[in-house]
Amino acid sequence: MTVDDSNALILIVDDTPTNLDVISEALSDAGYDVAIATSGERALHQVERKLPDLILLDVMMPEIDGFETCRRLKSNPKTINIPIIFMTALSDTSNKIKGFELGAVDYITKPFQEQEVLARVRTHLQLNLLTQKLEDQVMQKTAALQASQLQIIQSEKLSALGNLVAGVAHEINNPIGFLGGNIQPALGYIKDLFGLLDLYQKKYPDPDPDIQEEIDNIDLAYIREDLPKLVSSMREGIKRIKDISNSLRTFSRADSDAKQTFNIHEGLDSTILILRHRLKANSQRPEIEVVTEYGQIPPIKCFPGQLNQVFMNILANAIDALDEASQKLSYAELQANPNRITIQTSALGNYVKIKITDNGKGMSAEVKNKIFDHLFTTKAVGKGTGLGLAIAKQIVVEKHEGSIEVSSIIGQGSEFLILLPL
């Protein structure tokens, strides 16, 4: 799956005119719109006027350095989702870790290679645009399903979401498999080349002055040290994307007529991943914390895709409840007492126990008694169908011969308890 990023606006933040000229020319030649800021302060003012699609951010700048600029951008709800790629000559691991912890998506080490810059920019623009497109498609598909009956919604929602997620996982997996398969040979080639250089220097310890000058210009010693680290960082990035792809495929598992052996924890983790965009901080509240306390439980025989839908409905409802409760509290109050969803699993006799708890506003006894009823909803018109928890109960009780219960205290939150037979 590809998306059109030809109209993307890229903001380059660097206090060195030479760097600005080189990168802006390369990006412009590639068809991108380019904006320039020569300091972190100017960049912060500039994004308020027009939001870029991606930011190339230098680390070492006077007054506000790149790390502080990134922190401010990520703390602003308007700019929090803009991909940021750091540009720096700082190659030590601690600086890279600091950049990623602040929210950067990638690191480009100086001196620049134009093709590398373009490749990384293109990759992160594609990923960002693809994420937005997928969110829009999921919202459109969900809206289209709201008018259908209970059984139709159950099958259509699973099929549509499963195909969408499986397709994305497939598209991600192909290039990742290609890159992952070539990393090790690349490391071998690098080792061979360095070995050849060592042999050459041993045989000819006094190189020609022109050769020595070029060695000094390219800083051969630095390249020798940093290149293997750079490839190793790429390998870690590939591993992370591969893990995401595997989680997407786990969530989208199609059910057959017979039950399959399934790891409940994999289903929960994949569902949390799908909902990650809804857990992020926004202008109304900080990020919703998800705490997983997994016990030692064996795989069970079940219909994995249907159970994933149960987890999706319960977790999505918990997020809705926390969002609604957040409207009555200030941002500072929410930071002091964060929104939280806790997922606990354990073995209980011949059953697996799954407990999903939120610290939202809770529900009254009247609402609790109707929560699993067909078409019952407490949400505003157009916000909910009243089918999600009805479907969840049908899947757990009728399809899996288990049980699902809810308990709640006003002002303290709600808890869903699911028992599934081993």
Side-chain angles (χ1 to χ4, degrees):
M1 182 183 296
T2 59
V3 288
D4 183 14
D5 63 355
S6 58
N7 295 322
L9 173 63
I10 300 172
L11 173 62
I12 308 171
V13 187
D14 198 317
D15 62 333
T16 305
T18 303
N19 291 340
L20 290 173
D21 290 341
V22 171
I23 300 177
S24 62
E25 182 178 355
L27 292 172
S28 297
D29 291 342
Y32 297 111
D33 294 330
V34 177
I36 291 173
T38 56
S39 69
E41 190 70 41
R42 291 184 179 181
L44 294 172
H45 288 303
Q46 199 156 325
V47 297
E48 289 294 328
R49 295 194 298 270
K50 187 173 183 180
L51 292 177
D53 297 291
L54 184 142
I55 298 175
L56 290 171
L57 180 59
D58 186 26
V59 172
M60 302 299 292
M61 294 185 294
E63 298 178 5
I64 302 177
D65 66 10
F67 291 137
E68 176 61 17
T69 305
C70 180
R71 187 191 66 77
R72 296 190 188 185
L73 287 168
K74 291 302 178 181
S75 64
N76 185 343
K78 288 178 59 180
T79 58
I80 189 172
N81 292 320
I82 299 175
I84 295 175
I85 300 177
F86 274 125
M87 307 181 296
T88 182
L90 300 176
S91 60
D92 59 285
T93 302
S94 61
N95 278 297
K96 291 183 178 180
I97 291 174
K98 182 178 180 180
F100 288 129
E101 287 177 344
L102 288 170
V105 297
D106 210 343
Y107 232 91
I108 298 175
T109 305
K110 298 178 181 178
F112 303 118
Q113 296 294 326
E114 290 187 14
Q115 292 304 314
E116 179 190 2
V117 174
L118 289 174
R120 295 190 184 218
V121 166
R122 189 175 296 113
T123 295
H124 289 292
L125 282 173
Q126 289 280 318
L127 287 174
N128 197 45
L129 292 172
L130 184 59
T131 299
Q132 295 174 17
K133 186 174 182 179
L134 290 176
E135 290 176 1
D136 292 340
Q137 289 178 341
V138 171
M139 290 176 63
Q140 293 170 8
K141 182 59 68 175
T142 301
L145 294 171
Q146 288 179 346
S148 302
Q149 293 298 320
L150 184 62
Q151 290 289 347
I152 298 175
I153 287 183
Q154 179 180 341
S155 60
E156 287 295 318
K157 190 174 182 180
L158 280 172
S159 175
L161 187 58
N163 288 338
L164 178 64
V165 174
V168 174
H170 177 73
E171 291 296 331
I172 293 175
N173 210 41
N174 282 342
I176 290 304
F178 173 78
L179 291 171
N182 284 284
I183 286 290
Q184 194 57 45
L187 285 171
Y189 296 153
I190 291 171
K191 183 178 179 181
D192 290 343
L193 288 173
F194 285 156
L196 178 61
L197 285 174
D198 290 338
L199 180 61
Y200 179 86
Q201 290 176 336
K202 182 179 179 181
K203 294 291 185 180
Y204 302 99
D206 298 318
D208 181 88
D210 291 340
I211 295 177
Q212 184 61 51
E213 182 181 359
E214 184 63 19
I215 290 174
D216 295 336
N217 288 339
I218 67 173
D219 196 350
L220 181 60
Y222 172 77
I223 292 177
R224 181 189 293 272
E225 177 186 353
D226 190 60
L227 186 55
K229 295 179 181 178
L230 180 62
V231 177
S232 295
S233 297
M234 294 168 63
R235 174 186 280 167
E236 286 301 312
I238 292 169
K239 181 179 180 298
R240 184 177 177 186
I241 297 175
K242 192 172 182 179
D243 290 342
I244 293 173
S245 175
N246 290 336
S247 294
L248 292 175
R249 282 185 291 164
T250 297
F251 180 84
S252 64
R253 282 181 61 170
D255 290 325
S256 61
D257 293 335
K259 292 181 178 180
Q260 306 171 43
T261 301
F262 183 59
N263 186 327
I264 292 294
H265 295 160
E266 291 182 0
L268 287 166
D269 289 339
S270 65
T271 306
I272 294 169
L273 178 71
I274 299 296
L275 290 169
R276 181 68 64 189
H277 69 285
R278 293 199 58 200
L279 298 168
K280 291 180 179 179
N282 56 41
S283 57
Q284 280 75 44
R285 58 157 177 80
E287 181 176 358
I288 297 174
E289 298 178 2
V290 177
V291 179
T292 55
E293 300 174 359
Y294 293 160
Q296 294 293 326
I297 60 173
I300 68 169
K301 288 281 189 178
C302 64
F303 298 104
Q306 295 185 26
L307 280 185
N308 285 340
Q309 187 182 6
V310 172
F311 302 147
M312 172 71 77
N313 286 332
I314 294 176
L315 289 170
N317 281 343
I319 295 171
D320 290 338
L322 291 169
D323 281 340
E324 187 176 348
S326 297
Q327 295 176 5
K328 299 179 181 179
L329 299 172
S330 68
Y331 209 91
E333 289 174 320
L334 291 169
Q335 286 180 317
N337 185 27
N339 290 326
R340 183 179 293 108
I341 297 173
T342 303
I343 305 173
Q344 299 169 302
T345 63
S346 61
L348 183 65
N350 292 324
Y351 289 85
V352 167
K353 182 171 72 171
I354 305 161
K355 189 162 61 173
I356 302 176
T357 308
D358 68 71
N359 62 345
K361 68 174 186 175
M363 64 183 82
S364 66
E366 181 183 2
V367 171
K368 186 177 70 173
N369 292 334
K370 296 180 180 179
I371 199 72
F372 295 111
D373 290 353
H374 184 213
L375 297 181
F376 175 77
T377 181
T378 59
K379 299 175 184 177
V381 176
K383 296 292 185 180
T385 62
L387 296 175
L389 291 178
I391 290 174
K393 183 174 183 179
Q394 182 190 56
I395 291 171
V396 172
V397 176
E398 297 181 16
K399 296 286 188 179
H400 293 86
E401 300 177 347
S403 65
I404 180 169
E405 299 175 354
V406 62
S407 58
S408 183
I409 299 176
I410 294 292
Q412 296 186 25
S414 302
E415 175 184 288
F416 284 85
L417 177 62
I418 301 171
L419 292 178
L420 297 170
L422 290 172

